[in-house]
Amino acid sequence: MTTNSQLNPLPLLSPSRSVSQNYPTVVRRTALTDTPLTSTPNSPRGLQPSDGYSIAPFLELPRRATTLDVPGLTKSRVSPDGTIAARDVGSKLVIVMVGLPARGKSYITKKLARYMNWLQHETKIFNASMGPKSPPLDELDTSHPANFFAPDNPQTAALRESWALQTLDELLDWVLHGNGSIGILDATNSTVKRRRMVLNRVKDRSNGELKVLFLESVCDDKDLLEQNIRLKLSGPDYKGQDPDIALADFRMRVKNYEKTYETIGDEEENTEGLQYVKMINVGRKVVAYNTQGFLAGQAVFFLLNFNLAERQIWITRHGESEDNILGKLGGDASLSSKGVKYARALVRFMDYQRTEFRRRQLERFSLQSTVSQISSQPTTPKGEPVEPHFCVWTSMLKRSIETAKWFDEDTYDIKQMRMLNELGSGLCDGMTYEEIRQKFPKEYDARVHDKIGYRYPGVGGESYLDVINRLRPVIVEVERMQDHVLLIGHRVVARVLLAYFMNLGRQAIGDLDVPLNTLWVLEPKPYGVYWAVYQYDENKDCTPPPETATSVTSSSVASPEAALLLDTKDSSPPSTVNMPPPPLPSRTRSMTVTTPSPLSNESHPVEHDAGVDIVISSLQ
């Protein structure tokens, strides 16, 4: 016969007794915020504070779950907005870069940080050589900058070790006591000893809760490595120096690191809690080991899906719709007559741009004589780069589908995607903002107070955060593919897409001005995203009849790009990825420039053709 005492794991207690025998003695972990610890799940059965029992010392509490937290999609008592609560340290992540100089570490960290920040996981890069506590190199007793990295220089070795620890501590302060979710330590961390030191420091400061993902970048492609080395010469360490001297110095710096460099190997896999990802040739091959946690999984998934292929990404809103004229939200209206004109002009302009991109691509090939394998793009039997395909993606709403109606499906791969639908406005669908203000004043004020987090009431109502998460597979696919793509979306969708490529913060997303008849082009580069803005000018869209087209002068011909305003404040040089684009103004100063012969201007994405009227817009 089974007795009650056999069923109950705890001895019977009186209110004056305390539990001390046969149970482990532990110290309760202190919460990092004022949010109270949960009681019922972690408390011994039948021993609640209200029972009057004194339990000392405490029974060992299990670690908190490290399940997913997604801003806007999850909520709990300690995290009502879906961000990781300060006390849930085990759900956060430290990414530690590993690799020799010129192996693409900075490129990888910037892309990864941009993606995770776009998903609203607070991410920040900490560079060991650029921290505020790092003195300039000329204050050191070194006769040459490369000597600073020599392994047989005890003074500088100790200093570099100190800088690394200071930077790591700054990172941990931000993750453990600030609002950070992911801290990225950008340094070489090229030895087993250094990596062990970093791992132990993180464990000590977080009581073993904070996870560490080592991310090693390996490069054995000589073409890619040579390009990376030459790109490094434009960095701050060699600013204003003779290129030949700077190149020789950097090569010596790399050799100094190579003397002691130890790649992550099998012997380190025995280290408790070690997880790592090894990227070879910037993503051509990826090896992952012991990936733990939601954030680490998201990071590894993204790292599997980007490349260095030359391509263009175009983003625009649909042409003007009947509901746009009335100022109504949502709906599924067709294009207006002006919207149809924009759609037709868009086709001609994309045909022109596609041809121009191919011409420039072949020109570069003829100058290089051989195709660089850096981009991983296939080549023709002649050794020329294969021309990228061109995809056109629309939403499943009429106004977006109709904007792509005149594209030739034999030339363009056209696809409808529900992920590109406009933000759902729920009960407010079909209303104007003024009607919402009058009928739902509280909802109107709530949206004004938190435009990004606000979700429209009713079935189908969405927030910006909802749109971000349903656009995630679109972003990943754009990063993975090697083809051109034109995304014909809607205002909120265009804002969210541009926010990713422009690396805009949360508050800037809702303020980005993306009017109708505006076209953005983005070209991913090794050190950023090159961008430019075009705006449709209906007054210039007047193609002459075919029988008179050959007899008119160039100044009166309306070519495919004649009806577009070119923003002169493009993103040259490409390294300005972190600089958000200027908002389009309400007024545009413009001038007409007639080009009687081909011009070449690499600072702009369009190279002008004969007989083209280009309206150049100076954005203030």
Side-chain angles (χ1 to χ4, degrees):
M1 181 177 179
T2 303
T3 63
N4 290 337
S5 61
Q6 290 174 309
L7 294 175
N8 192 345
L10 295 176
L12 295 177
L13 304 176
S14 63
S16 61
R17 287 185 58 187
S18 64
V19 181
S20 59
Q21 289 86 15
N22 302 323
Y23 295 99
T25 301
V26 298
V27 178
R28 184 191 293 267
R29 296 189 302 270
T30 303
L32 297 178
T33 68
D34 293 332
T35 306
L37 287 170
T38 55
S39 55
T40 304
N42 292 333
S43 299
R45 180 180 175 184
L47 297 179
Q48 301 298 327
S50 59
D51 294 333
Y53 292 99
S54 171
I55 307 177
F58 295 102
L59 298 180
E60 185 172 5
L61 301 179
R63 290 184 180 276
R64 293 186 53 79
T66 57
T67 185
L68 76 169
D69 288 285
V70 182
L73 295 190
T74 64
K75 64 186 301 183
S76 63
R77 182 171 60 84
V78 298
S79 178
D81 61 354
T83 59
I84 300 176
R87 74 177 190 179
D88 290 338
V89 176
S91 295
K92 299 186 178 187
L93 181 66
V94 172
I95 298 177
V96 179
M97 297 304 299
V98 177
L100 292 167
R103 264 58 179 183
K105 295 190 301 299
S106 295
Y107 170 77
I108 294 170
T109 56
K110 289 176 182 177
K111 288 202 67 152
L112 183 57
R114 173 158 56 97
Y115 176 70
M116 301 305 288
N117 274 317
W118 179 75
L119 291 177
Q120 307 306 301
H121 302 297
E122 291 289 341
T123 305
K124 187 175 179 181
I125 300 171
F126 293 80
N127 192 300
S129 64
M130 298 178 66
K133 299 178 182 179
S134 302
L137 295 181
D138 55 12
E139 292 182 8
L140 303 173
D141 185 18
T142 55
S143 59
H144 200 274
N147 294 343
F148 178 79
F149 303 94
D152 54 356
N153 187 330
Q155 178 193 2
T156 58
L159 189 57
R160 284 187 284 117
E161 198 83 356
S162 174
W163 288 0
L165 284 176
Q166 289 178 10
T167 305
L168 179 59
D169 283 335
E170 291 174 14
L171 182 156
L172 293 174
D173 287 341
W174 183 72
V175 171
L176 295 175
H177 308 298
N179 61 345
S181 295
I182 304 173
I184 303 178
L185 181 63
D186 187 9
T188 56
N189 298 303
S190 55
T191 65
V192 174
K193 179 181 178 182
R194 167 68 70 81
R195 294 191 289 271
R196 187 179 295 117
M197 179 196 71
V198 170
L199 186 60
N200 290 337
R201 187 70 158 234
V202 175
K203 287 182 177 180
D204 290 344
R205 289 204 51 186
S206 66
N207 294 322
E209 293 189 60
L210 189 57
K211 293 181 173 61
V212 179
L213 173 67
F214 288 97
L215 175 51
E216 182 176 12
S217 180
V218 179
C219 181
D220 55 18
D221 184 304
K222 294 182 179 179
D223 291 334
L224 178 56
L225 184 58
E226 184 64 24
Q227 185 190 42
N228 286 347
I229 288 176
R230 293 187 178 277
L231 284 173
K232 282 289 186 180
L233 301 186
S234 61
D237 287 354
Y238 298 104
K239 186 176 181 180
Q241 291 191 22
D242 180 271
D244 293 334
I245 296 177
L247 182 61
D249 177 78
F250 187 77
R251 292 187 189 281
M252 181 60 67
R253 178 187 300 190
V254 174
K255 286 184 177 180
N256 281 330
Y257 273 110
E258 288 175 340
K259 293 176 183 178
T260 58
Y261 179 67
E262 298 170 310
T263 185
I264 298 178
D266 295 342
E267 66 279 1
E268 287 184 84
E269 294 181 0
N270 296 323
T271 304
E272 181 182 357
L274 180 80
Q275 53 179 332
Y276 71 83
V277 177
K278 187 175 293 191
M279 294 190 68
I280 301 172
N281 296 325
V282 197
R284 292 185 200 170
K285 181 179 179 180
V286 179
V287 178
Y289 173 78
N290 195 32
T291 305
Q292 302 174 12
F294 173 72
L295 292 179
Q298 292 296 301
V300 172
F301 173 71
F302 178 70
L303 295 173
L304 294 171
N305 290 282
F306 65 78
N307 61 82
L308 297 175
E310 286 185 297
R311 65 200 189 281
Q312 290 184 324
I313 301 163
W314 297 84
I315 299 174
T316 186
R317 289 175 64 184
H318 55 80
E320 181 189 72
S321 72
E322 297 294 343
D323 279 347
N324 289 137
I325 298 175
L326 301 174
K328 292 183 177 181
L329 276 68
D332 196 15
S334 294
L335 294 181
S336 67
S337 58
K338 289 184 177 180
V340 170
K341 290 187 69 176
Y342 175 72
R344 289 180 177 273
L346 184 62
V347 175
R348 299 195 302 272
F349 186 68
M350 287 294 98
D351 286 341
Y352 174 80
Q353 286 292 332
R354 185 176 187 176
T355 302
E356 283 298 290
F357 181 91
R358 180 59 174 171
R359 180 182 63 79
R360 295 195 302 270
Q361 189 180 43
L362 292 178
E363 281 183 355
R364 288 193 296 271
F365 166 75
S366 64
L367 295 175
Q368 296 172 355
S369 72
T370 59
V371 177
S372 171
Q373 297 300 314
I374 293 173
S375 65
S376 304
Q377 287 181 293
T379 58
T380 67
K382 295 181 180 180
E384 298 174 340
V386 171
E387 181 178 5
H389 297 293
F390 205 118
C391 301
V392 177
W393 296 347
T394 75
S395 74
M396 289 191 172
L397 299 175
K398 289 180 182 178
R399 55 194 184 273
S400 177
I401 296 172
E402 291 176 2
T403 304
K405 179 179 178 180
W406 287 274
F407 281 93
D408 183 358
E409 294 204 38
D410 292 332
T411 306
Y412 296 88
D413 181 53
I414 304 174
K415 186 172 295 185
Q416 300 172 18
M417 296 184 176
R418 192 172 300 278
M419 296 89 77
L420 294 175
N421 281 7
E422 179 60 305
L423 179 147
S425 48
L427 290 177
C428 301
D429 192 74
M431 300 174 64
T432 65
Y433 284 118
E434 180 59 25
E435 289 172 340
I436 296 173
R437 188 181 67 82
Q438 294 180 4
K439 189 172 182 179
F440 304 113
K442 291 184 179 179
E443 296 294 332
Y444 184 89
D445 292 341
R447 179 181 177 275
V448 171
H449 179 71
D450 183 12
K451 193 173 184 179
I452 305 303
Y454 172 77
R455 180 177 287 110
Y456 279 97
V459 177
E462 290 184 301
S463 69
Y464 272 78
L465 298 177
D466 294 321
V467 175
I468 288 173
N469 281 281
R470 67 169 155 89
L471 283 176
R472 179 169 52 179
V474 176
I475 287 295
V476 171
E477 181 63 10
V478 170
E479 289 285 10
R480 181 201 66 80
M481 64 193 297
Q482 299 184 4
D483 303 323
H484 302 309
V485 63
L486 167 65
L487 298 105
I488 303 176
H490 306 266
R491 178 161 57 185
V492 173
V493 169
R495 281 174 171 169
V496 170
L497 290 172
L498 289 169
Y500 168 74
F501 289 105
M502 300 298 178
N503 199 24
L504 300 181
R506 171 171 173 148
Q507 297 308 316
I509 299 176
D511 296 329
L512 181 61
D513 189 13
V514 185
L516 292 170
N517 303 333
T518 305
L519 184 65
W520 299 72
V521 61
L522 308 110
E523 294 187 29
K525 302 290 183 181
Y527 269 93
V529 177
Y530 177 91
W531 60 265
V533 188
Y534 299 83
Q535 187 173 356
Y536 176 64
D537 183 358
E538 184 183 7
N539 296 325
K540 289 288 182 179
D541 190 4
C542 50
T543 304
E547 62 272 14
T548 61
T550 57
S551 60
V552 295
T553 62
S554 62
S555 61
S556 62
V557 173
S559 63
E561 63 284 345
L564 292 156
L565 298 178
L566 172 60
D567 172 20
T568 58
K569 291 189 178 181
D570 62 24
S571 66
S572 300
S575 59
T576 57
V577 62
N578 293 321
M579 182 185 300
L584 289 176
S586 57
R587 294 178 53 207
T588 305
R589 292 191 295 108
S590 62
M591 63 179 180
T592 301
V593 179
T594 302
T595 57
S597 60
L599 301 176
S600 176
N601 185 353
E602 288 299 332
S603 65
H604 298 292
V606 175
E607 294 179 11
H608 307 159
D609 226 352
V612 176
D613 281 354
I614 302 292
V615 181
I616 301 178
S617 166
S618 178
L619 299 184
Q620 303 301 312

